[in-house]
Structure formats: structure tokens, C-alpha cells
């Protein structure tokens, strides 16, 4: 998965040979006929391409920049010319290098790959519809349409492969930046932004006292706080529920309340001005509350560890299963999933309270960690469910570890608040990686095994047959 | 860039209408002819598809699993049938939902998108080559080939769009896991793994003393250390120079030295056994050194901050420029880049030593941070180069900030070790974001402006004309 692991350019290997096969499959007459159609109509085709793209709401923002617009028409014509005039390996090689570059630029400007695919489809039609006039016979005509199709597909494959690689790299950097940002000193940042808000409030109040008719009041969007929120907080808190509420409050201040304040300055209506100041202070109080909540909730949400048990958060499960599936494929060594569930957990919560339940889960986490090697992985999987990934084990070994865990749970005295204690049992579903590349299937098999362990009376290990 | 920002499914909007246009463009006779060709030959086509895929070294690992193999042939036939039998919106809608699912599975099993594209090209040829026998006239035949081509392209667009989205999500989770992993307690981990190595050494020595002929000596790959390295360290240290060297030493121990030790146990040659033990201890010493270096170098490498100045590391520049370019596009507010370079920095290093140079850079970092707002970004860009990104500014504002910075540098007394001090000047190149979607162009423009500032005599600000 990681770029450092990927081969430098998996595409070029076969693209060259596929192109050769394609080149040989078409008669020279057909290739010349196609090239002539392309050269004769490249300007119209390029215009049709951009007309379509500009009519697309999604593509529009990428294409309206003056320079983009003036350069692209020309580029598109050269692109057609280059692609359809290739006669040698060397020419084709440099045409493909061009596609790679285009894919990288698309990734950099975040132009979705499907838009480009749509444009490619359009071009195929533009060319194909002009071919029947070329005098090719029936079979040659089919080959010619297919030739155009496949050639554009080859170019698009190189382009999209470069796009996917660059796009992944960009997503990784962005994610690293996001994680880095919230690794920064958050309590300090929170205090700093509270102070920024106070600072804006002071500036606003001062302006209300000293402003004259026609003066503009300072918008909160342009304040230190506003800029921080827009340009830094968004990277960290993206997707959080507080963010839209914060934006809402800021919009209310800037677009509704401040203009009204401005009117009161003009009118000199002090009672109404007082009411508006109160209203703005109410919005500010809300903002402060929301920012507190944002920082708070966030610490739980984004940590890689489960807050209660300090085990791995299940959100990392896909990353780790992908890596282990790949390792197993390359090394031929299997791994096992154990889904461990605390029996009758609901009763513990009901009879002893939630704090007791939490204690059981914490002690269970320690028990599991102490039962596996440091190369293994232990996740909090759900409420009272844990997932253990045993690396480089065979079925027998996995069953032995599962049985050891089951026995230890049975033996363990779980300590509850106020000096009380409790015994519990656990059910375990086991599934061995069987070479199937889709890890979701493995998780489902462990889940089914756990279900059977529950059904067959709990406090037992059941392995998925494989 | 972040998934939370993307619309849920940008593809389906236009796919439906493109399909309708395609559907209407082909005569019912042509559609029926195509469908009949597909239905009559779907088994052969499916076989040809898998024969080609299995001959591909890259695709092979994904397809050799028994279940994949037996199910896929059937799935491919159903896929062809479904796609080419669509007569209504509803049928087409559910065919497209199927493509989306396929794209998600491909992302999960990490099947590269270009392999699928290659298979799609093959299928197009398989169908097209059978069409001339269908009795369609010349023009209808061209339309039919194009119809097949476009229909498969539409399916592939939905598939690859789902693939790109899932793949990005997976890359983000993987990156978050990686960053999380190195956010864990690294000094503790280093000590733990040193202890694991010692532990293995003890077990090995004990085995050498007590083993009898035919006993197996414990391989280091299977030790706690070995499993940690393979399954956990790799996520964190991927791409580091030490990792291959560590693997090398482990391979030498397991594949060369341990088997020789085994022979000496059989032979009872104690002098040779002593030599081998020494040799293994030499490899272990190397391993300990490499692990120390790995943990050490890594802290510098992976931190988001520049170690010397504590400014943002330039590796985050693409992420932040992408975000700011997008913000500018959506809000219509520009941003500016300032490239700040310390004049004659080489002389400082030459005349006062490297420590003095480092102090100047640190103090410069503080000066820059104090000259901008908390929503702005300051990067260490290169040796003595800094990059400042000013958010939501116009040209005039950016020029003012640049001139303020230049003046402050000129005024500042830079403190060197041993109570010495120094005055320096700085040159600044300024470029305004002008709406162009490719941020690399903006960086280049700032670079050119800085070059001119240097050329025109240093200690000055030059803005790129725009």
C-alpha cells in the first residue's frame, strides 16, 4: 500500500507491448486513414471537447482560468496529433511519458479522474463518427474504430495510473498534516483562540463606541480567530459537528448583526444598539462553548487508541488487515483473527453499574495484551468485543492461544469498584486467513464463528472451518 | 481533498444521462445484435479474459485463490449479461450499483486499477471482433462498436471512481496508523526491542549448550523481535535505509549461521562452535546499532516540524497549498507566497561557524512567526530559505507584510554564541495566487521573483507581476 513498497511504474511494462500488438493488428492503410481524420479535424474535436467539459459543473472550476483555457485548446490538438502519429517505439514512449505528466498535473489540481474519462469517451466518438468516410472496408472499419478506442484507452491508463499514485501520495501528505496538526499543543491552542475571540470582542465594542456614520465594523471572519478557523482548524476538525455551528454563528454576526449595528450607528438609536451588542455577545458565548466542545470531543475521536481500554482503535483495522494480507501473500505465512466477546456483559452493567462494566473491559484488555506477543495486535472491536490478530501462526497455534485466553478469562478475578469482584467467561470465534485477498471476508468468518460459540452455550472457542 | 468534503457520488449524476444519450444513439436493431453476440459468446469471452489476466504477473496473486477463481468466471459472465441487457433506467441503475461495489472490492484487495482497465480493453476487442457477422450495415456497425466501447467505459468509470475514493480512504487510514504508530512511546519501544534481542540471544546460547543432534535452533525471524520488526516496525520505518540492513543481518543469522551452528552440534567441533557464536554476536551487535540508528534518525525525519527552527516542515507544503488553492477557488479570496532568503548566508557559516548560522536561522524563524497572523503559515523551505503563506490577502497587503519583514530583518540584532552578534539582510520574492489551479506554478513564480530580488542587489522585495 505504501508508495515506498510499490514498484516504480507498473504500467509501462505492459503498455508498450499492448501498444505493439495494437499497432500490428491495424493495417498501415487503416492507421493512415485514422491519422488523416484526426489531423484534419483536430481543431473541431478540441473545441467539442472543451465545450463539453465547460458545460460540466464539476469540471468548470478547473478550466475557467484564462491561461488554462488558452493553453488547453492548443495542448489538446497537440495531444491528438502526438498520439495518433506514433510510428516507432520511441515516439510511443515519449507520448506515454506525456500522459504520465498529465496525470500528475491532474492530481495536483485535484481534477477528478472520471471527468477525464468522460472527455476521452467524447473524443472517441468524435473520431469514430468521421471514419466511415475514409473508404475503409467493413472489417477494416471495425478494426479502425477499435484501434482508436484502444489507443485512447492506453493513454488514459497511463494517465490514470499516474493520477492514482500522485493522488494517493497527496492524500497521505494531507492526512499526515492533519494528524500532525492535532498532535500539536491543543490546550495551548484552545486558550489562544479563546483569547483571539475576546480580542475581537474588544475591537468590536471599541468600534461601537468610537465609530462614525459610514465606518465599517470589523468582521469576525477577518479576525485572527476567523482566519485560524478557516485555514488551520478546518484541517484538524474537518467533519466534526461543531464546525458548521461555529460557521453559522460567525455568519450571523458578520452578515446579520454587524450590518444592523452599522445602521444604529447611523441612526443613533442607543437602546437598539444595546440590544444588538447583547445579541452579539450571546453569539460569542455560543462560539466559546462550541470551541470548547470541539477541542474536547476531538481528543476522544481522533486518538488511535480506544479511550477506555487503551487498545488499538478499530479504525486502524483496515490498514492493518491490508498489510497483513499482503505480508501473508508475499511470505506464505498465515495469520489468525480471534473475536473475543465477554459473555452476558449486559447483565454486568445491569447488576453492577456501568463503571463496573468499564472496569471489566479494562482488565480484559490487559489480560489479552498479556496473552499475545508484541508482534500481535489487539483491538477494541465494539462494546464488549475485542479483536486479536495473531501474526505468523498456523491453525493449531491459533486454537491453542484462543483456548489459553478462554481459560485465563475463566480463572481471572475481575475487580470492581468498592472492593467488589466478579468472575466472567468469554466466547471466542476464530478464523484463519486462507489466502483470500478480501479481508472483509475473513472478519465475517470470525464473526460467524463467534456467533456459533455463543449459540453453543458460550465460554468456548469455535473455529471457522476452512 | 478530504473525503468529508467530497460530494457523496459525483459520478452517478452524469453517468445516467450519458447512458441515456448512448442508448438513444444506437438503433434497437444494433442493441439487440450486440446483446445477442454477448449472450452467445459470454463463456468464451470470460475464459479469454481470465486467461489474459492469469498470464499477467501483476494480476496473478489476486486471482489464484481457489474461490476467487471459481467464482470470477461466473461473475464475469453475469457482468456481461447485466451490462448489455439493460433496457430501462432502473436496470441500468442497478448495473451501475454493481460497478461501484466491484470498485470497492478492488480497492480492498488492492487490485491496481490499470489491470482492470487492461481487462476492459480485452473485452471490447472480444465483442467488437464478433460484430461484423451480425448483418449490421456499415454505419450501424461503427455505431455498434462505439456503443460497446462506451458502455464498458461507463461501467469502468463508475468502478474506478469508487476505487479511487475507497483507495484514498484506505491510504488515509494507513497513513494515520503510521503517524499514530510513531506517535507512540518510541524510547520505551526501543528499550523493549533491545531487550527482545537480548532475550533471543539468551535462548540461542542456551540452545547451543543443551541442544542435541537434530534439535532446531530458534530462528531470529520467529522471535518476539523478529515478529515486531516484520509486523509493526515496517509500518513506521518503511523506506528507511536501516530496514534492509537489519533484514540482511537477520537473514545471515537464520539462513547461514544457525544452520552451520546446527552442524557443529552434530559434529561436536567446539572451536568452530565458538567461532560461530562470536559471529552471531557480531551480527547482534550490528542489529542493536542499526535499531538505535533507526529510532534516532527517524525522529528527525518524520516530525512535521523542522528540527532546527521548529517551523513547519516543507513536506506539508503540497497539502496546505492544495487546501488554500481550493479555499481561494471557493471563496474568491487570494493568498500570497513569500520566499524569504537570508543574504550571504554562506559567509556567516564560513566566518562564524555553523553554530552561528543555526542561531541566525532560529532567530529568523521567530522573527517571521512574530510578523504574521496565527492563520498564516511559515515553513522552513530549504537551507536558509523560508516560505511564508499569507492567507486572505490582496497584493497590496502582501507587499506591505513583505516590506515589514525585510525592514525587521535589517533592524534585528542576531545573537551568536559566545556573546557575539551580527546584522543580516534578507531578500524576498512575492507571488500572488492568481486563480491557476496548479500550485506548483505559484511556487515557481515566487522563486523567480526571489531570484530577481537577489540579482537586483539583495535586501529587497520583488513581486512577480501578475
Amino acid at each position: 500500500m505504501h508508495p515506498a513498497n510499490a514498484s516504480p511504474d507498473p504500467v509501462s511494462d505492459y503498455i508498450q507491448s499492448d501498444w505493439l500488438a495494437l499497432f500490428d493488428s491495424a493495417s498501415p492503410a487503416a492507421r493512415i486513414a485514422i491519422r488523416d481524420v484526426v489531423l484534419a479535424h483536430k481543431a473541431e474535436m478540441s473545441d467539442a471537447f472543451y465545450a463539453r467539459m465547460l458545460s460540466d459543473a464539476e469540471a468548470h472550476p478547473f478550466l475557467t482560468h484564462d491561461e488554462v483555457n488558452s493553453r488547453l485548446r492548443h495542448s489538446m490538438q497537440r495531444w491528438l496529433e502526438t498520439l495518433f502519429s506514433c510510428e516507432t517505439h520511441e515516439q510511443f514512449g515519449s507520448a506515454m511519458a506525456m500522459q504520465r505528466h498529465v496525470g500528475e498535473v491532474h492530481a495536483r489540481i485535484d481534477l477528478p479522474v472520471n471527468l477525464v474519462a468522460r472527455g476521452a469517451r467524447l473524443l472517441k466518438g468524435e473520431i469514430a463518427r468521421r471514419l466511415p468516410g475514409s473508404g475503409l472496408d467493413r472489417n477494416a472499419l471495425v478494426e479502425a474504430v477499435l484501434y482508436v478506442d484502444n489507443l485512447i484507452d492506453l493513454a488514459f491508463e497511463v494517465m490514470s495510473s499516474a493520477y492514482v499514485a500522485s493522488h494517493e501520495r497527496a492524500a497521505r501528505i494531507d492526512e499526515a498534516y492533519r494528524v500532525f496538526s492535532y498532535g500539536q499543543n491543543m490546550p495551548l491552542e484552545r486558550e489562544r483562540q479563546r483569547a483571539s475571540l475576546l480580542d475581537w470582542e474588544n475591537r468590536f465594542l471599541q468600534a461601537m463606541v468610537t465609530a462614525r456614520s459610514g465606518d465599517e465594523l470589523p468582521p469576525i471572519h477577518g479576525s485572527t480567530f476567523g482566519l485560524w478557523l478557516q485555514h488551520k482548524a478546518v484541517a484538524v476538525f474537518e467533519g466534526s459537528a461543531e464546525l458548521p455551528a461555529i460557521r453559522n454563528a460567525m455568519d450571523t454576526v458578520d452578515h446579520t448583526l454587524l450590518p444592523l449595528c452599522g445602521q444604529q450607528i447611523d441612526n443613533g438609536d442607543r437602546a437598539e444598539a444595546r440590544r444588538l451588542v447583547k445579541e452579539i455577545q450571546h453569539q460569542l458565548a455560543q462560539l466559546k462553548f462550541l470551541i470548547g466542545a470541539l477541542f474536547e470531543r476531538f481528543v476522544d475521536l481522533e486518538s488511535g487508541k480506544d479511550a477506555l481500554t487503551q487498545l488499538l482503535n478499530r479504525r486502524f483495522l483496515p490498514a492493518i488487515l491490508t498489510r497483513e494480507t499482503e505480508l501473508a501473500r508475499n511470505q506464505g505465512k498465515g495469520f489468525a483473527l480471534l473475536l473475543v466477546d465477554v459473555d452476558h456483559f449486559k447483565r454486568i452493567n445491569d447488576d453492577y453499574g456501568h463503571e463496573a462494566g468499564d472496569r471489566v473491559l479494562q482488565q480484559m484488555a490487559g489480560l489479552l495484551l498479556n496473552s499475545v506477543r508484541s508482534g500481535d495486535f489487539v483491538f477494541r472491536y465494539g462494546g464488549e468485543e475485542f479483536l486479536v490478530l495473531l501474526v505468523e501462526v498456523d491453525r493449531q497455534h491459533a486454537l491453542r492461544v484462543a483456548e489459553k485466553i478462554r481459560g485465563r478469562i475463566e480463572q481471572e478475578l475481575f475487580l470492581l469498584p468498592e472492593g467488589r469482584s466478579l468472575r466472567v467467561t468469554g466466547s471466542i470465534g476464530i478464523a484463519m486467513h486462507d489466502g483470500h485477498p478480501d479481508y472483509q471476508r475473513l472478519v465475517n468468518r470470525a464473526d460467524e464463528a463467534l456467533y456459533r460459540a455463543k449459540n453453543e452455550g458460550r465460554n468456548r472457542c469455535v473455529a471457522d472451518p476452512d
Side-chain angles (χ1 to χ4, degrees), chain A:
Chain A
M1 290 269 315
H2 198 262
N5 262 3
S7 50
D9 193 351
V11 175
S12 53
D13 291 351
Y14 72 76
I15 289 283
Q16 190 98 343
S17 70
D18 280 11
W19 173 72
L20 251 193
L22 177 64
F23 191 82
D24 292 342
S25 76
S27 69
R31 277 191 283 110
I32 289 168
I34 294 166
R35 195 197 57 198
D36 290 349
V37 164
V38 169
L39 294 182
H41 302 282
K42 60 184 184 177
E44 299 153 55
M45 290 178 188
S46 164
D47 287 348
F49 181 83
Y50 283 105
R52 162 75 79 90
M53 289 304 240
L54 282 169
S55 75
D56 188 308
E58 215 192 332
H60 202 266
F62 301 96
L63 301 173
T64 40
H65 188 268
D66 285 346
E67 207 206 343
V68 172
N69 205 4
S70 66
R71 271 168 59 171
L72 277 189
R73 257 165 238 272
H74 176 71
S75 310
M76 170 55 71
Q77 295 186 32
R78 214 186 40 195
W79 185 85
L80 285 166
E81 215 177 305
T82 310
L83 198 60
F84 284 93
S85 310
C86 292
E87 292 280 339
T88 65
H89 263 212
E90 212 177 14
Q91 286 171 348
F92 182 75
S94 71
M96 289 303 110
M98 180 175 159
Q99 311 309 322
R100 207 169 298 129
H101 174 72
V102 172
E104 281 159 7
V105 171
H106 287 169
R108 214 148 62 211
I109 70 176
D110 232 356
L111 178 71
V113 73
N114 59 294
L115 282 179
V116 183
R118 199 179 187 202
R121 260 193 291 122
L122 177 100
L123 281 179
K124 290 171 178 180
E126 291 288 322
I127 302 173
R129 269 182 254 286
R130 290 178 173 91
L131 285 175
S134 63
L136 293 169
D137 74 29
R138 190 182 169 77
N139 280 335
L141 190 58
V142 169
E143 291 297 339
V145 176
L146 202 58
Y147 180 87
V148 170
D149 173 28
N150 276 340
L151 190 57
I152 290 182
D153 281 353
L154 281 174
F156 182 69
E157 269 167 68
V158 176
M159 208 184 279
S160 63
S161 190
Y163 171 86
V164 168
S166 298
H167 186 74
E168 174 180 335
R169 212 156 34 235
R172 281 180 176 278
I173 294 175
D174 191 64
E175 187 65 22
Y177 169 61
R178 228 169 64 82
V179 178
F180 162 79
S181 297
Y182 68 66
Q184 297 312 102
N185 194 334
M186 279 291 169
L188 180 67
E189 194 60 55
R190 181 172 49 192
E191 290 319 309
R192 206 184 273 157
Q193 295 313 322
R194 279 185 180 154
S196 298
L197 263 183
L198 271 180
D199 182 60
W200 179 82
E201 191 176 354
N202 287 346
R203 281 172 53 216
F204 159 70
L205 289 173
Q206 199 183 332
M208 284 299 283
V209 175
T210 62
R212 277 174 291 186
S213 182
D215 281 3
E216 222 189 302
L217 294 164
I220 197 165
H221 276 101
S223 69
T224 309
F225 168 78
L227 293 178
W228 170 83
L229 187 91
Q230 188 70 280
H231 297 274
K232 297 210 164 148
V234 162
V236 186
F237 300 115
E238 219 154 30
S240 80
E242 286 86 2
L243 218 47
I246 290 175
R247 287 207 173 109
N248 229 349
M250 287 169 68
D251 284 348
T252 305
V253 172
D254 277 4
H255 304 320
T256 309
L257 297 172
L258 285 187
L260 288 175
C261 286
Q263 289 173 24
Q264 296 322 311
I265 292 171
D266 297 350
N267 304 344
D269 180 346
R270 300 189 47 116
E272 178 63 5
R274 261 199 304 278
R275 196 191 64 78
L276 286 167
V277 168
K278 278 233 153 69
E279 185 61 35
I280 283 184
Q281 285 173 326
H282 171 70
Q283 294 291 342
L284 283 174
Q286 271 218 307
L287 274 175
K288 283 173 207 156
F289 171 79
L290 286 166
I291 287 162
L294 190 68
F295 275 91
E296 208 129 298
R297 218 167 55 91
F298 160 83
V299 172
D300 290 350
L301 253 181
E302 283 293 343
S303 159
K305 290 198 164 176
D306 173 61
L308 180 67
T309 62
Q310 293 299 303
L311 296 176
L312 281 168
N313 194 310
R314 76 177 275 169
R315 79 189 185 99
F316 290 145
L317 192 57
I320 290 166
L321 282 172
T322 301
R323 284 170 175 275
E324 289 299 325
T325 303
E326 207 183 300
L327 267 173
R329 184 160 66 223
N330 296 336
Q331 306 192 322
K333 284 174 187 161
F335 64 94
L337 292 192
L338 274 50
L339 263 182
V340 183
D341 192 272
V342 184
D343 294 330
H344 299 302
F345 184 73
K346 202 183 160 301
R347 277 198 217 150
I348 302 173
N349 272 334
D350 291 348
D351 296 353
Y352 298 86
H354 279 281
E355 206 190 325
D358 285 356
R359 291 281 184 92
V360 169
L361 295 177
Q362 286 170 329
Q363 198 167 334
M364 186 68 82
L367 185 151
L368 291 172
L369 277 178
N370 290 328
S371 306
V372 301
R373 302 156 300 174
S374 72
D376 299 323
F377 300 86
V378 184
F379 296 84
R380 171 104 183 263
Y381 189 66
E384 71 271 24
E385 257 185 305
F386 300 88
L387 188 148
V388 179
L389 192 161
L390 301 172
V391 303
E392 301 192 18
V393 292
D394 55 20
R395 187 182 165 86
Q396 226 180 348
H397 186 148
L399 291 177
R400 214 162 47 231
V401 175
E403 186 51 33
K404 180 177 80 180
I405 290 173
R406 192 207 56 76
R408 285 194 180 175
I409 296 172
E410 200 174 25
Q411 297 296 320
E412 182 102 349
L413 193 64
F414 287 84
L415 304 174
L416 307 185
E418 296 161 27
R420 289 176 302 172
S421 64
L422 184 69
R423 293 202 181 270
V424 305
T425 59
S427 301
I428 303 180
I430 303 141
M432 295 298 301
H433 172 65
D434 63 356
H436 197 287
D438 188 354
Y439 63 77
Q440 190 52 53
R441 223 174 131 270
L442 180 63
V443 175
N444 295 345
R445 283 171 48 221
D447 210 38
E448 285 156 22
L450 174 61
Y451 183 79
R452 282 176 40 215
K454 290 280 178 194
N455 257 7
E456 291 171 12
R458 299 189 173 81
N459 188 22
R460 68 192 63 218
C461 301
V462 171
D464 179 73
D466 56 14

Coordinates of all heavy atoms in Angstrom, one line a residue, chain A residues 25 29-30 32 56 72 88 126 130 143 173 210 241 285 291 299 344 391 416 455:
Chain A
S25 N -1.9 -5.0 -35.2 CA -3.3 -5.5 -35.6 C -3.9 -4.6 -36.7 O -4.8 -5.1 -37.4 CB -4.2 -5.6 -34.3 OG -4.6 -4.3 -34.0
A29 N -2.8 1.0 -44.0 CA -3.9 1.9 -44.6 C -4.8 2.4 -43.5 O -5.2 3.6 -43.5 CB -4.6 1.1 -45.6
A30 N -5.3 1.5 -42.6 CA -6.2 2.0 -41.6 C -5.5 3.0 -40.7 O -6.2 4.0 -40.3 CB -6.6 0.7 -40.7
I32 N -3.2 5.1 -41.4 CA -3.0 6.4 -42.1 C -4.4 7.1 -42.2 O -4.5 8.3 -42.0 CB -2.4 6.1 -43.5 CG1 -0.9 5.8 -43.3 CG2 -2.5 7.4 -44.3 CD1 -0.2 5.3 -44.5
D56 N -19.9 21.1 -18.0 CA -19.9 20.2 -16.8 C -19.6 21.1 -15.5 O -18.5 21.6 -15.4 CB -18.9 19.1 -17.0 CG -19.0 18.1 -15.9 OD1 -19.0 18.4 -14.7 OD2 -19.1 16.9 -16.3
L72 N -5.1 25.1 -23.1 CA -5.6 23.8 -23.2 C -6.0 23.4 -24.6 O -5.8 22.3 -25.1 CB -6.7 23.5 -22.2 CG -6.2 23.2 -20.8 CD1 -7.4 22.8 -20.0 CD2 -5.2 22.1 -20.8
T88 N 6.9 4.7 -34.2 CA 8.0 3.9 -33.6 C 7.9 3.8 -32.1 O 7.1 4.5 -31.5 CB 9.4 4.7 -33.8 OG1 9.4 5.9 -33.1 CG2 9.6 5.0 -35.3
E126 N -16.0 11.4 -31.4 CA -15.7 12.4 -32.5 C -14.9 11.8 -33.6 O -15.1 12.1 -34.8 CB -14.9 13.6 -31.8 CG -15.7 14.5 -30.9 CD -16.7 15.3 -31.6 OE1 -16.3 15.8 -32.7 OE2 -17.8 15.5 -31.1
R130 N -16.2 10.0 -37.8 CA -15.7 10.5 -39.0 C -15.0 9.4 -39.9 O -14.5 9.7 -41.0 CB -14.7 11.7 -38.7 CG -15.4 12.9 -38.3 CD -14.4 14.0 -37.9 NE -15.1 15.3 -37.6 CZ -15.5 15.6 -36.4 NH1 -15.3 14.8 -35.3 NH2 -16.2 16.8 -36.2
E143 N -12.0 -2.6 -37.2 CA -10.6 -2.6 -36.6 C -10.2 -1.2 -36.3 O -9.6 -0.9 -35.3 CB -9.6 -3.3 -37.5 CG -9.8 -4.8 -37.7 CD -9.6 -5.5 -36.3 OE1 -8.9 -5.0 -35.4 OE2 -10.1 -6.7 -36.3
I173 N 0.0 12.8 2.4 CA 0.6 14.0 3.0 C -0.4 14.8 3.7 O -0.2 15.3 4.8 CB 1.3 14.9 1.9 CG1 2.5 14.1 1.3 CG2 1.8 16.2 2.5 CD1 3.1 14.8 0.1
T210 N -16.6 54.3 19.2 CA -15.9 55.4 18.5 C -16.3 55.6 17.1 O -16.0 56.6 16.5 CB -14.4 55.2 18.6 OG1 -14.1 53.9 17.9 CG2 -13.9 55.1 20.0
A241 N -19.2 17.9 14.1 CA -20.5 18.5 14.2 C -20.4 20.0 14.6 O -21.3 20.8 14.2 CB -21.4 17.8 15.1
A285 N -20.7 33.9 23.2 CA -20.8 32.9 24.2 C -21.0 31.5 23.6 O -20.3 30.5 24.0 CB -21.9 33.2 25.2
I291 N -16.3 26.0 20.7 CA -14.9 25.8 20.6 C -14.4 24.8 21.7 O -13.6 23.9 21.4 CB -14.1 27.1 20.5 CG1 -14.4 27.8 19.2 CG2 -12.6 26.9 20.7 CD1 -14.1 29.2 19.2
V299 N -10.5 15.0 21.1 CA -9.4 14.2 21.7 C -9.8 12.8 21.7 O -9.0 11.9 21.4 CB -9.1 14.7 23.1 CG1 -8.1 13.8 23.8 CG2 -8.5 16.1 23.0
H344 N -22.6 -12.5 28.6 CA -23.6 -11.8 29.5 C -23.1 -10.5 30.0 O -23.3 -10.1 31.2 CB -23.9 -12.7 30.7 CG -24.5 -14.0 30.2 ND1 -25.6 -14.2 29.5 CD2 -24.0 -15.3 30.5 CE1 -25.9 -15.4 29.3 NE2 -24.9 -16.2 29.8
V391 N -0.1 -12.9 14.4 CA 0.7 -12.9 13.1 C 1.4 -14.2 13.0 O 1.8 -14.8 14.1 CB 1.6 -11.7 13.0 CG1 0.9 -10.4 13.1 CG2 2.7 -11.8 14.1
L416 N -14.0 -4.9 40.8 CA -14.9 -3.9 40.6 C -14.7 -2.8 41.6 O -14.0 -2.9 42.5 CB -16.4 -4.4 40.7 CG -16.7 -5.7 39.9 CD1 -18.1 -6.1 40.0 CD2 -16.3 -5.4 38.4
N455 N -24.0 -19.4 20.5 CA -25.1 -20.3 20.3 C -24.9 -21.7 21.0 O -25.9 -22.3 21.4 CB -25.4 -20.5 18.8 CG -26.6 -19.7 18.4 OD1 -27.1 -18.8 19.2 ND2 -27.1 -19.9 17.2

